[in-house]
């Protein structure tokens, strides 16, 4: 694991620098969009290391499946039992990426950028937001033509949601996640997503990411989703990295391996 730990430490340092260089935004809810998220060589290697379709499992609610029962959304978990199926080099890279995404240093940097929402939700000073507990669940997702997910604010079990875009090129920026605001404008009522204004579409471009503080209160909700993808050969690869309030919802292998020394190496190298 020493090679993976060394690579993880380099990834962590780069991620923290990129997050810190980004600009916090609050419309329509606190979020941040980050460019140059991975080191460029790691990003290219990561694209080559993505598992083939048959390694992913069907994922999503049945109502979003096609009539024949097939799913246009698939998931590849990043627990050991998933990664251990892969060839050595591929597995080693994805282990390093997973551990970096679970790093406390990355968590603190991201939480600081969305601190306005965390402070509002938890009733605390923004300066203390990075100290909040958060347990990471990184997973690979692959979505196909006609995929959609209706506006939703995310469950309160989540603290911060992050999604990392993994396209080969920048030819389809419009495929990103949409951020919404409720609207009674007849135009917004008549077309997808019904009853919501699309305030922002996060860009689906190389090596970019967004993160937002999960808000599910009466007065402020982190409404987001994705209008129906085009009915062609669209493939949308991403990593969802979600920090939960409870470690039981997270990737426990991240924290087990951190306890065995991987995380301490990462933190020492980035300090």
């Amino acid at each position: 694991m020493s090679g993976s730990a060394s690579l993880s430490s380099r990834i962590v340092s780069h991620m923290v620098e990129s997050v810190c260089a980004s600009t916090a935004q609050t419309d329509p809810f606190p979020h941040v969009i980050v460019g140059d998220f991975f080191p460029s060589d790691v990003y290219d290697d990561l694209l080559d290391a993505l598992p083939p379709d048959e390694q992913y499992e069907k994922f999503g609610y049945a109502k979003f499946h096609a009539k024949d029962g097939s799913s246009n959304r698939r998931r590849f978990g990043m627990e050991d039992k998933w990664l251990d199926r892969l060839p050595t080099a591929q597995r080693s890279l994805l282990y390093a990426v997973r551990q970096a995404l679970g790093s406390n240093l990355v968590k603190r940097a991201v939480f600081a950028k969305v601190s306005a929402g965390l402070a509002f939700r938890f009733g605390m000073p923004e300066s203390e937001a990075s100290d909040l507990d958060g347990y990471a669940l990184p997973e690979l997702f692959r979505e196909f033509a006609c995929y959609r997910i209706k506006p939703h604010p995310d469950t309160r079990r989540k603290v911060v949601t992050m999604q990392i875009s993994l396209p080969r090129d920048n030819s389809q920026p419009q495929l990103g996640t949409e951020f919404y605001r409720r609207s009674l404008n007849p135009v917004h009522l008549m077309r997808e997503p019904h009853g919501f204004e699309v305030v922002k579409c996060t860009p689906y471009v190389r090596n970019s990411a967004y993160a937002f503080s999960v808000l599910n209160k009466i007065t402020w909700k982190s409404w987001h989703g994705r209008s129906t993808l085009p009915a062609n050969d669209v493939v949308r690869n991403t990593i969802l990295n979600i920090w939960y309030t409870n470690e039981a919802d997270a990737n426990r292998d991240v924290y087990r391996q951190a306890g065995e020394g991987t995380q301490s190496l990462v933190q020492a190298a980035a300090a």
Side-chain angles (χ1 to χ4, degrees):
M1 291 298 293
S2 59
S4 291
S6 176
L7 178 57
S8 283
S9 70
R10 181 163 72 89
I11 296 172
V12 167
S13 296
H14 186 94
M15 287 179 175
V16 170
E17 183 177 349
S18 294
V19 171
C20 290
S22 61
T23 301
Q25 304 177 60
T26 56
D27 187 28
F29 45 80
H31 68 278
V32 64
I33 295 177
V34 184
D36 189 33
F37 187 65
F38 287 104
S40 59
D41 62 317
V42 173
Y43 182 79
D44 290 335
D45 291 343
L46 177 58
L47 296 187
D48 292 335
L50 294 179
D53 289 348
E54 58 268 22
Q55 293 270 21
Y56 285 68
E57 69 175 6
K58 293 180 182 179
F59 183 85
Y61 301 107
K63 64 183 177 181
F64 295 128
H65 291 178
K67 291 182 180 179
D68 64 1
S70 62
S71 173
N72 53 14
R73 190 182 207 197
R74 300 195 173 204
R75 175 182 67 175
F76 183 91
M78 297 183 78
E79 293 87 358
D80 286 358
K81 65 182 180 182
W82 290 75
L83 297 182
D84 287 347
R85 307 172 190 170
L86 303 174
T88 301
Q90 188 179 15
R91 181 173 69 246
S92 179
L93 175 61
L94 290 176
Y95 268 123
V97 167
R98 181 189 78 182
Q99 291 304 114
L101 290 170
S103 163
N104 186 55
L105 295 171
V106 172
K107 185 221 75 167
R108 291 181 63 85
V110 173
F111 280 29
K113 285 294 176 180
V114 298
S115 60
L118 296 176
F120 176 82
R121 174 178 172 180
F122 293 103
M124 62 190 303
E126 289 189 34
S127 60
E128 297 177 8
S130 60
D131 296 325
L132 279 169
D133 287 338
Y135 301 95
L137 178 66
E139 298 180 301
L140 293 167
F141 278 87
R142 182 168 293 160
E143 291 127 8
F144 302 93
C146 298
Y147 167 77
R148 68 186 177 95
I149 185 165
K150 293 180 179 179
H152 61 289
D154 272 351
T155 173
R156 291 184 178 92
R157 291 174 19 238
K158 300 177 182 180
V159 185
V160 170
T161 294
M162 168 176 271
Q163 190 165 25
I164 305 153
S165 298
L166 301 176
R168 289 275 177 189
D169 56 47
N170 295 339
S171 63
Q172 296 177 304
Q174 72 280 7
L175 300 185
T177 296
E178 296 166 338
F179 292 170
Y180 306 120
R181 182 183 296 118
R182 278 201 175 276
S183 174
L184 297 178
N185 185 317
V187 173
H188 299 144
L189 293 172
M190 293 292 291
R191 68 187 182 195
E192 187 183 15
H194 304 290
F196 290 87
E197 172 192 2
V198 180
V199 178
K200 177 177 291 186
C201 180
T202 63
Y204 183 70
V205 296
R206 284 176 54 86
N207 205 7
S208 65
Y210 70 81
F212 63 84
S213 54
V214 175
L215 294 172
N216 197 350
K217 294 197 170 191
I218 294 175
T219 54
W220 208 0
K221 294 181 183 288
S222 47
W223 292 111
H224 65 287
R226 176 60 240 183
S227 298
T228 304
L229 293 179
N232 53 31
D233 293 330
V234 166
V235 177
R236 193 175 80 146
N237 283 300
T238 65
I239 298 174
L240 267 175
N241 191 39
I242 297 172
W243 285 276
Y244 284 87
T245 58
N246 193 322
E247 188 175 350
D249 291 315
N251 184 323
R252 298 187 185 187
D253 292 329
V254 168
Y255 300 98
R256 176 181 58 79
Q257 289 173 4
E260 292 171 356
T262 302
Q263 189 74 359
S264 62
L265 287 171
V266 170
Q267 291 177 340

